[in-house]
Amino acid sequence: MKNQKQIKNQKQIARELGISVATVSNALRGKGRVSASVIKLVTSRAEQVGYFPSAAGRALKTGRSNILGLVVPDITNAVFPKFAQGVEAEADKCGYGILIADSRGTQAGQNSAIRQLIQRGVDGIIVLPQRCTAPEVTSVPCAFASTPGDINNTVAANHIQGGQIAARALLDLGHRNFLLLGNDSESQVQKDRIQGMMEALEGIAQFEVCWTPDVFPDLVEKNKTGVTAILTVSDLLALRAVTQAERAGLKCPQEISVMGFDDLPLATAVRPTLSTIVPNTTELSKRLVAYLSAAIHRDVILPKPSLVDMSIILRESTGPVATHSPHSTRRLK
Amino acid sequence: MKNQKQIKNQKQIARELGISVATVSNALRGKGRVSASVIKLVTSRAEQVGYFPSAAGRALKTGRSNILGLVVPDITNAVFPKFAQGVEAEADKCGYGILIADSRGTQAGQNSAIRQLIQRGVDGIIVLPQRCTAPEVTSVPCAFASTPGDINNTVAANHIQGGQIAARALLDLGHRNFLLLGNDSESQVQKDRIQGMMEALEGIAQFEVCWTPDVFPDLVEKNKTGVTAILTVSDLLALRAVTQAERAGLKCPQEISVMGFDDLPLATAVRPTLSTIVPNTTELSKRLVAYLSAAIHRDVILPKPSLVDMSIILRESTGPVATHSPHSTRRLK
DNA sequence: TTGAAAGCGCTACCAT
DNA sequence: ATGGTAGCGCTTTCAA
């Protein structure tokens, strides 16, 4: 017991210094009117004994824990880590800690996760909703990161715009015959991305949409019919397209270009490295935390919910359409 | 203000019921000697008004927050999510929440993250150390997840054993000429994995170790010299080996087998799917949380630190050595 | 069986 | 400029 280094509190510091706890508190917080000499005395003493305020005591008094909850549908989902990192960094800047909760992909799990977090005393909650399910009404501020819905506290990546810039980038490279690849036609995110692609291609190029729950289309055959570019809704799918193509002897990007989505870590770990559409997780996190912070402090004007544009990173998996290819654009004209 | 649903506390429940707070507390916690009728009365009332105890109040009184800190070197590291999920699940089972902190890959960041967590009042901390750097002494129980070191509160995946089973699996498939692939010869994890592989192969098969910080070995040339199997230290590296091989016209697994490590999500997303060595994150998490829980409650006997064996998953990227191949084992004999 | 009261560590109000 | 004190919500001891 004795070897356990005792943590000092304000009371003990006050006693040792022969002053009151109120003065210690005031001196430490820079509040109140305390003489410079006492401030110096107290702060140096506090430093010396390694004092830091008790989170519980402060939370009880102020009614704030300075902790935000983060509900994620599935931690093993590859897009989560980048997001969590952004949120953690931004929260840290604002003095908040992040308590994570896994909703295990179910609506019930999501609700129970939210309840859990509230009971743990978080000041606000960020939810990455599972398939855009409606939120449960809660007693603390909540912000949602998802595709735009009807709720007004949602911040979302602009997946439609993301799909558009993916398509335009390949149009710029001369491609005029596309294969659009998704793997979950129920996912609003994927639907939005595909929709954006279609909007950008409509009337300018040929395209075919292909949802592949399990079977993968025969890329060689597609290529024979003139396809020179594949737009996918995820890096994982893009990777699969690339490996599938190369196995069949189709060189990427010389004979076929492939575009991914999300800029997962694997995008730069594979060869060819993947061109991809990257969500601005920093900005998303910033807005989510800013919204919560404002709501927590009961600011009158809350930041507007909004869409955050995505950007593009061109790497090795995309290239100009091969002019000498028998399947190139020229032939279609 | 008025529309904000007021959260009830014990005092209010006590007043409404015309009894004392002490009785409410006792009834709710099943402690003390309270009549069954009062218990029923209080619990039903609590349920009815949606009462839940204030985390801050309880923490202040008990000195425990029921929150564990988790320090990770880099959230975007692909092995982290599975780990975090395991820890979160296990902690949840034991009534703990998880507060995450990113050490941003530096020793200084790690120390500051630990300090932060302590200030937030966590009861214990799990650290995934950056390159096995020594821990800073702390005032709360700490458990480390890493390769075995000298510290006695470390739980680690048995990377050496993992390397061994990777090698043995391919020996069983008839392979006798290996290429061992790492990409960071400073990493203790990678060194252990390679060491395990070498131990299993020594005296039984030929092998060559190759550290590839940037340049990738010419697999076709290696294959010409008889190599039929590649053992890597990560799925990412395995994937790169597979794509490299297939680009060069070497079929996987028909002509060359490739083994990964970690069972990242991408392992099943690519073709061929990757055979890999998978750490038992569930067991690791269980032991870490169990250790901390025991330490927090000042149990006399603490669970022993220990190594957790890894297991193997055989998928499509490995196969029997081709008997007809001119480079197969027979030729070496 | 029940209740009164102390006190965990902190902040803020009000006196001095 | 400084200090006394109340009280945040809870648990626990002790008294009734």
Side-chain angles (χ1 to χ4, degrees):
Chain A
M1 288 289 172
K2 269 222 161 156
N3 55 350
Q4 178 80 8
K5 187 179 155 196
Q6 197 52 45
I7 291 163
K8 308 262 183 177
N9 57 25
Q10 290 185 352
K11 199 183 192 173
Q12 299 180 39
I13 292 184
R15 190 150 26 109
E16 290 171 11
L17 257 39
I19 58 178
S20 80
V21 285
T23 305
V24 172
S25 176
N26 281 331
L28 254 24
R29 317 196 60 236
K31 280 228 182 176
R33 306 113 307 189
V34 188
S35 68
S37 63
V38 172
I39 290 185
K40 192 164 291 175
L41 178 69
V42 172
T43 51
S44 73
R45 182 71 177 200
E47 177 102 11
Q48 185 186 332
V49 300
Y51 167 82
F52 58 86
S54 147
R58 180 174 282 177
L60 182 55
K61 179 65 189 174
T62 64
R64 298 234 178 82
S65 61
N66 287 319
I67 291 186
L68 300 181
L70 175 62
V71 179
V72 298
D74 174 14
I75 303 188
T76 60
N77 182 330
V79 295
F80 160 67
K82 280 193 76 173
F83 198 86
Q85 185 171 55
V87 170
E88 197 267 348
E90 188 60 28
D92 189 56
K93 262 189 223 158
C94 302
Y96 288 104
I98 292 292
L99 199 53
I100 59 169
D102 192 327
S103 66
R104 312 192 201 300
T106 67
Q107 177 72 42
Q110 181 172 302
N111 290 340
S112 106
I114 291 176
R115 219 174 310 124
Q116 275 268 348
L117 290 172
I118 292 175
Q119 298 204 1
R120 290 198 184 281
V122 300
D123 293 339
I125 299 180
I126 293 172
V127 183
L128 310 198
Q130 181 65 9
R131 296 200 182 284
C132 298
T133 47
E136 189 181 60
V137 183
T138 62
S139 53
V140 301
C142 244
F144 296 84
S146 78
T147 39
D150 48 320
I151 35 185
N152 67 354
N153 51 358
T154 295
V155 177
N158 195 338
H159 298 288
I160 294 178
Q161 172 265 353
Q164 291 171 347
I165 60 176
R168 290 207 197 101
L170 287 182
L171 284 173
D172 286 350
L173 286 169
H175 297 272
R176 289 295 179 275
N177 198 325
F178 294 78
L179 178 62
L180 276 44
L181 228 49
N183 61 354
D184 181 356
S185 58
E186 300 295 307
S187 158
Q188 187 60 45
V189 167
Q190 295 200 10
K191 282 194 285 188
D192 284 353
R193 290 174 176 184
I194 295 277
Q195 183 192 326
M197 296 170 187
M198 287 168 47
E199 286 175 9
L201 296 178
E202 202 80 62
I204 301 178
Q206 278 189 262
F207 63 87
E208 174 190 356
V209 179
C210 182
W211 294 98
T212 60
D214 18 63
V215 294
F216 212 80
D218 183 337
L219 297 183
V220 174
E221 190 194 321
K222 296 292 177 196
N223 183 247
K224 285 220 184 85
T225 69
V227 170
T228 62
I230 302 177
L231 297 174
T232 71
V233 299
S234 83
D235 283 347
L236 244 32
L237 212 46
L239 175 56
R240 212 166 139 191
V242 169
T243 55
Q244 205 80 3
E246 300 242 339
R247 292 194 103 178
L250 270 178
K251 293 286 180 199
C252 171
Q254 293 84 350
E255 293 168 272
I256 196 144
S257 283
V258 177
M259 177 76 72
F261 237 107
D262 289 335
D263 193 29
L264 303 186
L266 71 86
T268 53
V270 300
R271 293 298 177 279
T273 53
L274 300 178
S275 294
T276 195
I277 304 298
V278 43
N280 192 339
T281 50
T282 309
E283 180 62 22
L284 281 166
S285 308
K286 206 167 275 182
R287 295 199 196 177
L288 285 165
V289 174
Y291 170 82
L292 281 186
S293 184
I296 290 166
H297 295 100
R298 302 191 171 287
D299 289 356
V300 187
I301 47 156
L302 294 178
K304 279 276 144 280
S306 48
L307 287 181
V308 177
D309 277 356
M310 304 183 94
S311 50
I312 191 167
I313 299 179
L314 291 177
R315 298 204 182 93
E316 300 167 1
S317 68
T318 52
V321 72
T323 50
H324 62 277
S325 160
H327 311 306
S328 78
T329 321
R330 307 172 185 273
R331 213 171 148 216
L332 295 174
K333 290 212 175 148
Chain B
M1 286 288 171
K2 268 222 161 154
N3 57 348
Q4 177 82 9
K5 186 179 155 195
Q6 196 55 44
I7 292 164
K8 309 262 182 174
N9 56 26
Q10 291 186 351
K11 199 186 194 170
Q12 299 180 38
I13 292 185
R15 189 149 29 106
E16 291 171 12
L17 257 39
I19 58 179
S20 79
V21 286
T23 303
V24 172
S25 175
N26 281 331
L28 253 25
R29 317 197 60 238
K31 280 226 182 179
R33 305 115 306 191
V34 187
S35 66
S37 63
V38 172
I39 290 185
K40 193 164 291 175
L41 178 69
V42 172
T43 52
S44 72
R45 182 73 178 199
E47 178 102 10
Q48 185 186 332
V49 300
Y51 167 83
F52 59 87
S54 146
R58 180 173 281 177
L60 182 55
K61 180 65 190 176
T62 63
R64 299 236 177 80
S65 61
N66 288 318
I67 290 184
L68 300 181
L70 175 63
V71 178
V72 298
D74 174 14
I75 303 189
T76 60
N77 183 329
V79 295
F80 161 67
K82 279 192 74 172
F83 198 86
Q85 185 172 54
V87 170
E88 198 267 349
E90 188 59 27
D92 188 56
K93 260 189 226 159
C94 301
Y96 288 104
I98 293 291
L99 200 52
I100 59 169
D102 193 326
S103 67
R104 313 195 202 298
T106 67
Q107 177 71 43
Q110 182 172 302
N111 289 341
S112 104
I114 291 176
R115 220 173 309 122
Q116 274 269 349
L117 289 172
I118 293 176
Q119 298 204 3
R120 289 199 185 278
V122 301
D123 293 339
I125 299 180
I126 293 172
V127 183
L128 309 197
Q130 181 65 7
R131 294 201 181 286
C132 299
T133 46
E136 190 181 58
V137 183
T138 61
S139 53
V140 301
C142 244
F144 296 84
S146 77
T147 39
D150 48 321
I151 35 184
N152 66 359
N153 50 358
T154 295
V155 177
N158 195 339
H159 298 288
I160 294 178
Q161 172 264 352
Q164 291 171 346
I165 59 174
R168 289 207 196 102
L170 287 182
L171 283 174
D172 286 350
L173 288 169
H175 297 272
R176 289 295 180 276
N177 200 326
F178 294 78
L179 178 61
L180 277 44
L181 228 48
N183 61 354
D184 182 356
S185 58
E186 302 293 308
S187 156
Q188 187 60 44
V189 167
Q190 295 200 9
K191 282 194 286 188
D192 284 353
R193 291 175 176 183
I194 295 275
Q195 183 191 326
M197 295 169 189
M198 287 168 48
E199 287 176 10
L201 297 177
E202 203 81 62
I204 301 177
Q206 276 188 265
F207 63 86
E208 175 191 356
V209 179
C210 182
W211 294 98
T212 60
D214 18 64
V215 294
F216 213 82
D218 183 335
L219 297 183
V220 174
E221 191 194 320
K222 295 292 177 196
N223 183 248
K224 286 221 184 83
T225 70
V227 170
T228 61
I230 302 177
L231 297 174
T232 71
V233 299
S234 82
D235 283 346
L236 246 32
L237 214 46
L239 174 57
R240 222 172 128 184
V242 169
T243 54
Q244 206 81 1
E246 299 241 339
R247 292 192 106 177
L250 268 178
K251 291 288 180 199
C252 173
Q254 293 85 349
E255 292 168 273
I256 195 143
S257 283
V258 178
M259 177 75 72
F261 237 108
D262 289 334
D263 192 30
L264 303 186
L266 71 86
T268 53
V270 300
R271 293 297 177 279
T273 52
L274 299 178
S275 295
T276 195
I277 305 297
V278 42
N280 190 340
T281 49
T282 309
E283 181 62 21
L284 282 166
S285 307
K286 207 167 273 183
R287 296 200 196 177
L288 285 165
V289 174
Y291 170 83
L292 280 186
S293 183
I296 289 166
H297 295 101
R298 303 190 170 288
D299 289 355
V300 187
I301 47 156
L302 294 179
K304 281 276 142 276
S306 48
L307 288 180
V308 178
D309 278 356
M310 305 182 95
S311 50
I312 191 169
I313 298 179
L314 290 177
R315 298 202 183 93
E316 300 167 359
S317 69
T318 52
V321 71
T323 50
H324 62 277
S325 161
H327 312 306
S328 77
T329 322
R330 309 173 183 274
R331 214 174 147 214
L332 296 172
K333 291 215 174 145

